[in-house]
């Protein structure tokens, strides 16, 4: 163990642990096919092919352009109908509080997810 | 070629030969560490070591060289062992007898046929594995990292994913228990 001030070198258990650890480190574990087993157990590829990401972006672009071309007024129609639905509802302070609580919970949950330990 | 160069080749070029070289370099230390953590259960230790290297391959892109590669491997190995131990809900003392019976000679140590030092080392190894089985998971992991793997308290804290103070507490409590379990080794 690396030297630390709280270690008493006269302690018999300390010497026992150090001796045992030294013996264990000196005993090399033979590979005996272990590396081959690991390599055969690895998943197929570490990296996606280099062409994959540009192709994905291109496909998304084509899909978006196609939707925009075929349904030019869809987005504004959806937004307008959503606004009408919301505007038709009476909004009370309880609604506002519930919305704030929901946003707070979503923010907290999102932050906890992002900051979670590995 | 250094570990860092091999890692770069494995990550950037998807070079499996480079990763195989890393496995060859570190397999002995990782397997020995896991054998201690599993109280001498070589078969389980090797399964966990294999899982450790598979996880290392998957996570190699996230390795930032903040710690030594070996320390990072110890961290993965310890997490694999903890996850497995919790899954099995192992009865530590009960398992230890089977584990010690499972020992073989594949690390090249003949069983007590030569000099006194070797016989003492073999007896100490058996008694130490039996004694380590008495400890809680956290205590055992702290002792293995600080002594067997020769890590500082700070490095052990990185491996165990806990504060340095917790490592020191685990080591202190572990030594109290080991003093009782290994009382026959105490000088008269």
């Amino acid at each position: 163990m690396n030297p630390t001030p709280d270690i008493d070198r006269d302690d018999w258990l300390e010497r026992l642990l150090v001796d045992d650890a030294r013996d264990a480190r000196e005993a090399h574990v033979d590979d005996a096919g272990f590396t081959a087993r690991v390599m055969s157990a690895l998943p197929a590829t570490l990296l996606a092919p280099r062409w994959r990401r540009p192709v994905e972006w291109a496909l998304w672009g084509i899909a978006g352009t196609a939707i925009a071309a075929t349904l030019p007024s869809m987005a504004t129609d959806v937004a307008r109908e959503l606004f009408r639905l919301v505007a038709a509802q009476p909004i009370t302070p309880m609604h506002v509080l519930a919305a704030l609580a929901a946003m707070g919970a979503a923010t907290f949950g999102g932050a906890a997810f992002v900051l979670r330990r590995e | 070629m250094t570990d860092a160069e091999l890692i770069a080749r494995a990550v950037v070029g998807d070079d499996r030969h480079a990763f195989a070289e890393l496995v060859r370099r570190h397999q002995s230390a990782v397997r020995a560490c896991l054998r201690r953590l599993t109280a001498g259960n070589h078969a389980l230790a090797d399964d966990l070591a294999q899982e450790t290297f598979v996880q290392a391959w998957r996570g190699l892109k996230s390795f930032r060289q903040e710690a030594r590669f070996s320390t990072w491997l110890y961290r993965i190995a310890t997490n694999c062992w903890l996850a497995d131990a919790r899954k099995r809900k192992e009865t530590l003392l009960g398992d230890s007898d089977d584990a010690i019976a499972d020992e073989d000679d594949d690390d090249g140590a003949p069983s007590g046929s030569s000099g006194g030092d070797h016989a003492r080392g073999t007896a100490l190894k058996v008694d130490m594995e039996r004694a380590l089985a008495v400890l809680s998971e956290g205590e055992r992991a702290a002792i293995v990292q600080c002594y067997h793997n020769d890590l500082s308290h700070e490095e052990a804290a990185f491996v165990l994913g806990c504060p340095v103070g917790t490592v020191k507490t685990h080591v202190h409590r572990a030594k109290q228990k080991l003093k009782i379990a290994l009382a026959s080794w105490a000088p008269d």
Side-chain angles (χ1 to χ4, degrees), chain B residues 166-188:
Chain B
T166 306
V167 172
K168 289 180 179 175
T169 303
H170 279 323
V171 169
H172 179 72
R173 286 181 184 158
K175 286 167 80 172
Q176 297 301 315
K177 292 181 183 177
L178 288 174
K179 271 185 179 168
I180 297 168
L182 295 167
S184 61
W185 288 85
D188 295 327

Side-chain angles (χ1 to χ4, degrees), chain B residues 27 31 34 49 57 107 109 114 116-117 121 127 136 147 163 178:
Chain B
Q27 61 87 20
R31 289 163 78 193
L34 283 163
W57 168 259
D107 52 6
S114 57
D117 280 353
D127 282 358
S136 73
Y147 287 92
L178 288 174

Side-chain angles (χ1 to χ4, degrees), chain B residues 92-152:
Chain B
L92 297 177
L93 269 173
D95 286 354
S96 67
D97 293 338
D98 296 340
I100 289 165
D102 184 46
E103 268 188 29
D104 55 35
D105 292 331
D106 65 355
D107 52 6
S111 53
S113 58
S114 57
D117 280 353
H118 178 72
R120 180 186 181 276
T122 304
L124 175 57
K125 183 184 173 198
V126 171
D127 282 358
M128 188 64 78
E129 283 175 351
R130 201 182 292 270
L132 286 173
V134 177
L135 307 180
S136 73
E137 290 162 3
E139 291 162 354
R140 201 189 320 177
I143 285 288
V144 168
Q145 301 306 336
C146 290
Y147 287 92
H148 186 274
N149 294 342
D150 200 25
L151 301 183
S152 66

